[in-house]
Amino acid sequence: MARVLLEDIKRKFNNVTAIEDITFEIPDGEFWVLVGPSGCGKSTILRTIAGLETATSGKLFIGDQLVNTVPARARDVAMVFQNYALYPHLTVGENIAFGLKMRKVDPKIIQDRVVNVARSLSLEHLLDRKPKQLSGGQQQRVALGRAIAREPQVFLLDEPLSNLDAQLRDDTRAELKQLHQQLGVTTIYVTHDQVEAMTLADQIVVLNRGRIQQIGDPQTIYARPANQMVATFLGSPPMNILPAIYKNGCFDVSGQLIEIPPFIQDNLQIPQGQSIDLGIRPEHMTISEDSGLSVEVKVIEPLGRETLVRAGLPGATTLLNIQLNGNVRLHPGDRLHLQLDLHQLFVFDPKTGDRLLPQD
Ligand code: ATP
């Protein structure tokens, strides 16, 4: 087990800068998730830590060792990819043992480790099968087993669940979390799935266009997103963004006025007439008989425990996501009034995306 420290890491491919200004320290034993949209640089960071890419500049430490020039095989990290690439001609047991055999570990130790790893991943009864005789989830567990058996200092997981169907994905996600709690090995996990990021991480690193947007624990990232990109990326359905103008003690949302209470007014340091983006999560709106934003219901999605409603402001093209408790009887075309919980309101600068409110 080891800490992992990245200091100002940059990676350029010819004239394309894939990542830059990447600085963070993962304490020994923690589970960190790198998350962001396609092309944001997640895999490049992971591959750089693995030694499969070389940083153009910056320093990378595993434990106390500077590893920039240390080859991948000498880094004592184990990587699991989305495409788990098991050896088809080897059995499950031989696949799990493979890395240890290559390192010429004592056969008795290999045997013990394979049995222990297979037990922790519920693979004991499959040790003699070949990969093609396994389900996708079982194959993925074998790939994890092969990484675990090596007892590396760091696990690097690149979208390891994305080939699994929804149910298996949920189950394997929970197993992974449990496994990390048991083994306590420093883990870096790449995903574009915000549910995986929120559920697995001690700390989340949100990336966009090769740069870190925010580092924080899941609750902080959700409750205090640094900017509009983070706010709209984490959360499902995503946060609603309402373009508005700040004037005369109100937010003007396409001609409809939201009166601003003193606790917002006192903290909003912007001039009258300025355009802003309001952010409100789907769970922070309620239906009112007579007051609030007037919207028209477009789509209703009953989910049993809750109902998702998509509704449009008059004249606006984007729909608002509204999450209502229980089973709500609504029809497309119904007109509603929406009350926003102003204690949960975010205000962003539309030019920079920075969060103006709530302040830290
Ligand atoms: P995805 O979720 O789609 O896998 P990602 O966040 O993992 O994306 P990276 O694969 O790290 O993104 O890529 C970051 C950027 O670097 C992208 O713009 C990509 O096109 C570019 N890039 C990555 N590898 C190379 C390469 N070998 N040559 C040129 N550009 C590259």
Side-chain angles (χ1 to χ4, degrees), residues 13 16 18 37-44 159 192:
F13 296 102
V16 177
S38 184
C40 70
K42 312 177 286 292
S43 298
T44 303
E159 309 236 15
H192 61 267

Side-chain angles (χ1 to χ4, degrees), residues 139-356:
Q139 290 187 34
Q140 187 57 294
R141 292 217 294 279
V142 177
L144 280 171
R146 191 169 56 183
I148 293 167
R150 281 183 43 199
E151 299 189 349
Q153 297 214 63
V154 180
F155 283 130
L156 303 174
L157 308 177
D158 195 351
E159 309 236 15
L161 308 184
S162 52
N163 282 348
L164 308 182
D165 68 37
Q167 179 63 49
L168 203 52
R169 211 179 154 123
D170 287 357
D171 294 347
T172 316
R173 195 179 69 214
E175 278 169 17
L176 256 181
K177 188 158 186 168
Q178 209 177 7
L179 208 60
H180 178 256
Q181 285 160 4
Q182 272 170 29
L183 302 174
V185 176
T186 312
T187 302
I188 312 173
Y189 186 103
V190 158
T191 182
H192 61 267
D193 181 319
Q194 48 97 21
V195 175
E196 284 174 21
M198 293 292 288
T199 51
L200 287 169
D202 290 317
Q203 296 280 314
I204 297 177
V205 181
V206 187
L207 295 149
N208 197 26
R209 298 195 184 134
R211 288 175 175 270
I212 295 174
Q213 304 295 305
Q214 187 170 8
I215 301 178
D217 62 81
Q219 289 75 17
T220 304
I221 297 260
Y222 193 76
R224 289 287 182 273
N227 57 39
Q228 200 166 315
M229 182 268 152
V230 178
T232 50
F233 193 77
L234 276 298
S236 176
M239 182 186 286
N240 297 294
I241 300 296
L242 300 167
I245 297 169
Y246 172 57
K247 60 181 181 198
N248 304 330
C250 291
F251 293 126
D252 180 336
V253 181
S254 309
Q256 303 194 54
L257 300 181
I258 301 173
E259 212 172 302
I260 307 176
F263 73 88
I264 293 183
Q265 188 95 44
D266 294 348
N267 292 310
L268 200 56
Q269 316 289 344
I270 56 171
Q272 296 282 335
Q274 180 166 327
S275 296
I276 39 126
D277 282 340
L278 300 179
I280 186 90
R281 293 210 182 269
E283 65 270 32
H284 294 145
M285 290 186 280
T286 47
I287 297 178
S288 154
E289 291 282 300
D290 46 9
S291 67
L293 291 179
S294 168
V295 295
E296 183 182 329
V297 174
K298 301 286 185 189
V299 181
I300 304 121
E301 297 175 279
L303 294 173
R305 196 175 34 185
E306 65 202 27
T307 305
L308 290 183
V309 178
R310 290 175 209 270
L313 287 162
T317 46
T318 49
L319 296 182
L320 298 178
N321 290 302
I322 308 150
Q323 189 175 330
L324 302 171
N325 285 333
N327 199 3
V328 184
R329 296 211 169 273
L330 288 171
H331 301 93
D334 285 354
R335 294 218 163 258
L336 297 181
H337 288 282
L338 280 184
Q339 287 276 6
L340 278 49
D341 179 352
L342 297 182
H343 288 278
Q344 305 290 347
L345 188 74
F346 292 85
V347 180
F348 299 102
D349 181 328
K351 289 203 186 84
T352 61
D354 291 344
R355 168 165 54 85
L356 304 175

Side-chain angles (χ1 to χ4, degrees), residues 42-61:
K42 312 177 286 292
S43 298
T44 303
I45 296 177
L46 205 71
R47 291 170 57 79
T48 305
I49 298 169
L52 304 174
E53 298 283 358
T54 308
T56 308
S57 60
K59 289 183 183 165
L60 171 64
F61 294 86

